[in-house]
Amino acid sequence: MSNDSFDGLVPLREIVSNFDLAAQKSLGQNFLMDMNLTYRIARTAGDLSKINVIEIGPGPGGLTRAILKCGAKKVISIERDERCIDALRYISDEFPDRFQLIHGDALEQDIIKLAPAPRRIMANLPYNVATPLLISWLKRAKEFEGMTLMFQKEVADRLVAKPRTKAYGRLSVMTGWLCEVKCEFNIDPKAFTPAPKVISTVVTLKPRAQPLASASWNAMEHVVATAFGQRRKMLRQSLKPLELDLASLGISETSRAEELEVEDFAKLARAFAEKT
Ligand code: SAM
């Protein structure tokens, strides 16, 4: 179980109790208290010695200190909760040149501007904003050397889902189009305070040098959203608003969104973009 003083810094439980960091549900706060796991997540990212890490939501700093102790060149953490800003002074004191803390909402930050390349995003994401954050990063996937992110398992399953499965949907297509995705390991709810109701999964995303197929972000997003908006309907129905000649694109009108590969969606997106 947790042995949170093993890295020579103040035990994590002391930080939480000294700064009265009772978790706030509205901020998606489930603090990872098992330092064996925070170090395991940090090590999953490989050699970080030349990498600027951008961390979302450091909370009391369990993952932050692990990333720093594992040798990241620099860590820039964005945290919304003012209580954590005060609590994290112990990390600024320990790593004055390699740690920068930003008080703000990660949804409103242009994180590219925060650090030069090579940059990597690492986070135990607040579950309530995990998907919009990921979408905003996917749009600029090439700006990142990689991402090491923790999601609810159900979201991680959607990221790696293949066609003809229940979990396959918008998130699977947009992510698979731009990144190679790997589920690394699951984390039991008991490792967190408070324990969430669901299992969490650590995921690695590696941006592809080139997307799986060419298409613009906006057209791809529109086509994919339209198709999965009515996922049980045949494409001739669900894609009707796009007014595309599916047969001429080699796509069966009687198939459903969940049967299409990423390349099929890209083909539809290119045809849609040409028309508009
Ligand atoms: N990294 C810590 C850990 O692993 O124990 C905390 C993870 S907790 C799941 C999510 C953290 O994100 C919380 O500290 C929360 O305050 C912060 N947070 C929530 N919404 C945020 C936002 N929009 N921008 C920045 N931080 C946010």
Side-chain angles (χ1 to χ4, degrees):
M1 248 327 263
S2 124
N3 169 16
D4 55 13
S5 62
F6 72 41
D7 61 2
L9 301 186
V10 190
L12 212 45
R13 284 187 195 282
E14 242 173 68
I15 299 293
V16 169
S17 105
N18 292 353
F19 289 87
D20 209 10
L21 297 181
Q24 289 183 9
K25 212 175 166 192
S26 61
L27 285 171
Q29 291 183 337
N30 298 97
F31 300 134
L32 187 50
M33 302 303 283
D34 185 334
M35 295 296 284
N36 289 299
L37 287 171
T38 60
Y39 276 76
R40 187 173 172 201
I41 296 167
R43 284 195 305 268
T44 301
D47 179 6
L48 293 171
S49 59
K50 296 187 176 61
I51 308 287
N52 292 308
V53 174
I54 299 161
E55 188 202 12
I56 312 304
L63 181 58
T64 322
R65 63 205 256 179
I67 299 168
L68 283 157
K69 284 270 184 181
C70 284
K73 184 177 174 199
K74 190 162 182 195
V75 177
I76 298 131
S77 301
I78 308 166
E79 173 58 62
R80 208 170 155 188
D81 185 346
E82 196 162 6
R83 298 173 309 161
C84 299
I85 302 295
D86 293 336
L88 287 164
R89 285 226 172 87
Y90 78 101
I91 299 196
S92 312
D93 290 346
E94 183 75 19
F95 303 97
D97 304 324
R98 292 167 53 218
F99 178 57
Q100 184 188 342
L101 184 56
I102 294 172
H103 183 203
D105 183 342
L107 283 167
E108 289 169 8
Q109 295 280 335
D110 182 355
I111 64 170
I112 309 294
K113 291 203 179 125
L114 297 180
R119 23 176 127 71
R120 184 174 195 89
I121 309 174
M122 296 183 71
N124 168 13
L125 287 172
Y127 69 91
N128 42 353
V129 289
T131 306
L133 282 173
L134 175 62
I135 295 287
S136 73
W137 300 331
L138 284 177
K139 269 189 204 169
R140 308 168 80 185
K142 273 202 196 151
E143 303 284 355
F144 305 105
E145 168 266 343
M147 307 181 206
T148 305
L149 303 174
M150 199 192 312
F151 295 94
Q152 297 178 59
K153 182 175 181 304
E154 180 255 328
V155 176
D157 288 345
R158 283 161 53 202
L159 295 179
V160 294
K162 297 289 175 223
R164 295 175 196 81
T165 62
K166 216 170 139 197
Y168 187 64
R170 288 168 70 174
L171 209 48
S172 333
V173 174
M174 299 306 281
T175 308
W177 176 42
L178 298 166
C179 296
E180 288 169 37
V181 195
K182 184 176 173 213
C183 287
E184 301 284 357
F185 54 91
N186 291 337
I187 300 190
D188 192 274
K190 287 202 291 284
F192 300 88
T193 299
K197 290 198 177 72
V198 292
I199 294 172
S200 302
T201 304
V202 176
V203 179
T204 300
L205 293 105
K206 187 171 167 27
R208 299 180 188 281
Q210 292 301 329
L212 267 187
S214 74
S216 76
W217 171 273
N218 285 347
M220 189 73 169
E221 197 178 39
H222 184 62
V223 164
V224 173
T226 308
F228 281 106
Q230 296 181 291
R231 65 179 291 142
R232 286 196 190 80
K233 296 257 167 72
M234 290 180 192
L235 294 174
R236 71 169 164 236
Q237 179 67 28
S238 59
L239 292 184
K240 210 170 188 172
L242 304 184
E243 298 179 349
L244 293 174
D245 180 357
L246 299 182
S248 75
L249 296 171
I251 291 174
S252 160
E253 293 196 331
T254 57
S255 54
R256 293 172 170 78
E258 64 178 31
E259 295 171 69
L260 298 190
E261 304 281 343
V262 169
E263 290 82 351
D264 297 320
F265 283 108
K267 207 190 283 180
L268 289 163
R270 290 195 301 271
F272 177 69
E274 257 172 42
K275 258 179 48 108
T276 49

